[in-house]
Amino acid sequence: MSTTSTVDRAFETALYADTDAALDTGASLLAADSTADAELARRGREFVAGAWRRGWQPADAVRFARRELEDAHVRLLARLIVEEHEQPTERRQPSPSPRWAAQLDEIRALAGHLSRTDRFSHATAALELYRLLLRLPTLEPLDRPQGRPATTVHHPESRMFTRIRGLLAKAEATEFPEEAEALSAKAQELMARHSIDEALLAARTHAKDVPGACRIGVDPPYETAKAVLLDAVARANRCEAVWNEPLGFSTVVGFEPDLEAVELLYTSLLVQATTAMTKAEAAQRKGGRKRTKTFRQSFLAAYAHRIGDRLAEVAEAQVAETAGAAGTGAEDAGDLLPVLAARDVAVRDRFTHLFPDTVTTRVRGVTDAVGWRQGAEAADRAQVGVRPRLP
């Protein structure tokens, strides 16, 4: 029997049926024929390439596999993604985008930890993973419009972003909520300033910069509150976000410097919010009140709502400060508001093109008044204001 026949028989048996019996039969066929291993891996790379054609990106696929399956499946998928990328250039895109390349760099670490197992277990994991890949829905393609170059003015490893990362790392490490929120406010201020500088530079150099998009995971539990937090961070950084609840991510649309800012700040604020919530729960337990799901949901929802206001105030203050510099003769300052307005329109147009039909959803489970009050207080401790511009 040829290796192709073995794989075909296994697929016909196991991929299009959801029963454990079918899965065991298909895995047994593959485990019994060691010569089918190469063909099985080749088919896996084809499934991965099919996911890219349906709009998925490496991080999306790994995140979804981690949500639906086990670590063994995630490591196997990582290996297939790396192998698919290393195929001859005529079979793939020769120049992945910087964001795509960054995702591949992270996935390579997973691919290097493929654990040893018996042939039947490996075949079972492969078939379960291929079932998942085969049924991935089509997503909105996030590539830039054809014929439009990516931004040439953004430098992901700039000194500004190095400093922002440092501030957020300190915010996550400190045990004092007030200090954490002050550091986050300072990070948002630097992000807003960086966004303004990038916008003015693009306008002055007439760079054909267009909005891009990225997907950020929104994982359970309390994913509704987390999606609200991500939306608040996105809006404060001149981006638009839409949540795909069934697939566990939000798509954020904006210019590249702002997208990176959103990813950094959302991840950090999520850590900080969880820390603040844990401390608030400990205080509640000392007072004799049991920890509840509604307390946590209400806490995170209030935190997201209030921190969004704080971040927006910081961003608006930076715009006002820069625009106000026009009266002092600062170069380009007088052009800031029209430039930002044009970029806001471009982001909204790109968002509408990707998502012409969106609906709003109501935050459920926010019924704990104490949780809401303490979540709002945790966010309100950041008394943000405009600080002097750095030399």
Side-chain angles (χ1 to χ4, degrees), residues 43-53 56 61 76-77 80-82 84-85 129-130 133:
R43 299 287 187 94
R45 294 192 294 271
E46 288 184 349
F47 283 127
V48 167
W52 306 161
R53 290 191 294 271
W56 289 71
L76 176 57
L77 175 59
L80 291 173
I81 289 174
V82 171
E84 193 278 334
H85 175 70
L129 175 62
Y130 295 178
L133 294 175

Side-chain angles (χ1 to χ4, degrees), residues 181-388:
E181 290 157 357
L183 289 166
S184 298
K186 183 62 178 178
Q188 175 63 75
E189 179 186 326
L190 295 181
M191 290 173 180
R193 186 183 307 171
H194 183 63
S195 176
I196 290 169
D197 292 342
E198 291 281 325
L200 291 173
L201 179 58
R204 187 171 68 247
T205 59
H206 304 289
K208 294 181 179 179
D209 196 12
V210 295
C214 68
R215 298 188 185 103
I216 300 176
V218 180
D219 299 316
Y222 318 116
E223 53 266 49
T224 301
K226 293 176 182 178
V228 172
L229 175 62
L230 178 52
D231 182 74
V233 174
R235 291 183 181 276
N237 287 278
R238 318 193 78 84
C239 296
E240 297 276 355
V242 61
W243 179 34
N244 187 320
E245 182 177 4
L247 298 183
F249 62 77
S250 284
T251 303
V252 183
V253 179
F255 287 88
E256 190 60 35
D258 302 327
L259 293 178
E260 185 168 355
V262 170
E263 289 183 283
L264 282 174
L265 190 55
Y266 169 70
T267 302
S268 180
L269 286 175
L270 196 55
V271 171
Q272 295 176 54
T274 302
T275 300
M277 180 180 67
T278 301
K279 291 183 177 180
E281 284 186 316
Q284 289 291 304
R285 287 196 298 273
K286 287 182 179 179
R289 188 175 189 266
K290 292 184 178 180
R291 183 175 60 178
T292 65
K293 179 179 179 180
T294 54
F295 175 88
R296 295 189 290 269
Q297 178 81 0
S298 300
F299 184 101
L300 290 175
Y303 186 95
H305 175 73
R306 296 298 292 167
I307 204 67
D309 291 342
R310 302 283 77 77
L311 297 178
E313 288 173 5
V314 172
E316 290 168 4
Q318 280 297 305
V319 172
E321 179 187 349
T322 305
T328 66
E331 183 180 4
D332 290 334
D335 298 329
L336 176 61
L337 295 182
V339 167
L340 293 182
R343 288 169 79 88
D344 289 344
V345 170
V347 169
R348 189 65 201 175
D349 287 347
R350 178 78 170 133
F351 181 84
T352 303
H353 173 76
L354 286 173
F355 306 101
D357 300 308
T358 58
V359 296
T360 57
T361 185
R362 186 172 58 183
V363 179
R364 301 178 181 87
V366 183
T367 58
D368 191 303
V370 175
W372 179 271
R373 176 176 56 79
Q374 294 196 12
E377 289 173 354
D380 271 340
R381 280 191 290 265
Q383 298 300 321
V384 296
V386 178
R387 295 166 175 80

Side-chain angles (χ1 to χ4, degrees), residues 19-76:
T19 65
D20 291 340
L23 183 67
D24 290 345
T25 301
S28 297
L29 289 170
L30 294 170
D33 185 0
S34 61
T35 64
D37 292 353
E39 177 65 14
L40 180 65
R42 187 188 71 81
R43 299 287 187 94
R45 294 192 294 271
E46 288 184 349
F47 283 127
V48 167
W52 306 161
R53 290 191 294 271
R54 295 199 296 278
W56 289 71
Q57 294 189 352
D60 303 328
V62 169
R63 182 174 57 246
F64 191 64
R66 182 175 285 116
R67 173 174 168 164
E68 299 294 321
L69 300 173
E70 305 294 335
D71 286 346
H73 304 90
V74 174
R75 291 192 293 269
L76 176 57

Side-chain angles (χ1 to χ4, degrees), residues 34-202:
S34 61
T35 64
D37 292 353
E39 177 65 14
L40 180 65
R42 187 188 71 81
R43 299 287 187 94
R45 294 192 294 271
E46 288 184 349
F47 283 127
V48 167
W52 306 161
R53 290 191 294 271
R54 295 199 296 278
W56 289 71
Q57 294 189 352
D60 303 328
V62 169
R63 182 174 57 246
F64 191 64
R66 182 175 285 116
R67 173 174 168 164
E68 299 294 321
L69 300 173
E70 305 294 335
D71 286 346
H73 304 90
V74 174
R75 291 192 293 269
L76 176 57
L77 175 59
R79 175 69 62 85
L80 291 173
I81 289 174
V82 171
E83 291 176 352
E84 193 278 334
H85 175 70
E86 294 172 349
Q87 293 300 299
T89 55
E90 62 269 15
R91 297 181 59 185
R92 62 173 173 81
Q93 292 293 330
S95 300
S97 69
R99 188 176 295 279
W100 191 289
Q103 293 176 18
L104 288 172
D105 288 342
E106 293 183 2
I107 288 170
R108 284 190 179 91
L110 285 173
H113 294 85
L114 192 61
S115 58
R116 294 181 176 274
T117 185
D118 61 89
R119 294 186 54 78
F120 180 80
S121 297
H122 174 75
T124 300
L127 290 173
E128 289 173 328
L129 175 62
Y130 295 178
R131 277 179 174 179
L132 185 73
L133 294 175
L134 184 65
R135 298 169 187 177
L136 290 179
T138 298
L139 300 179
E140 300 79 9
L142 300 189
D143 294 336
R144 294 175 181 273
Q146 293 294 323
R148 301 294 298 278
T151 176
T152 57
V153 298
H154 177 49
H155 306 283
E157 299 304 323
S158 67
R159 292 177 62 187
M160 179 70 82
F161 268 97
T162 299
R163 186 177 180 196
I164 290 169
R165 291 178 190 274
L167 287 169
L168 294 177
K170 291 179 181 179
E172 294 169 24
T174 182
E175 297 180 358
F176 303 101
E178 294 85 352
E179 182 183 10
E181 290 157 357
L183 289 166
S184 298
K186 183 62 178 178
Q188 175 63 75
E189 179 186 326
L190 295 181
M191 290 173 180
R193 186 183 307 171
H194 183 63
S195 176
I196 290 169
D197 292 342
E198 291 281 325
L200 291 173
L201 179 58

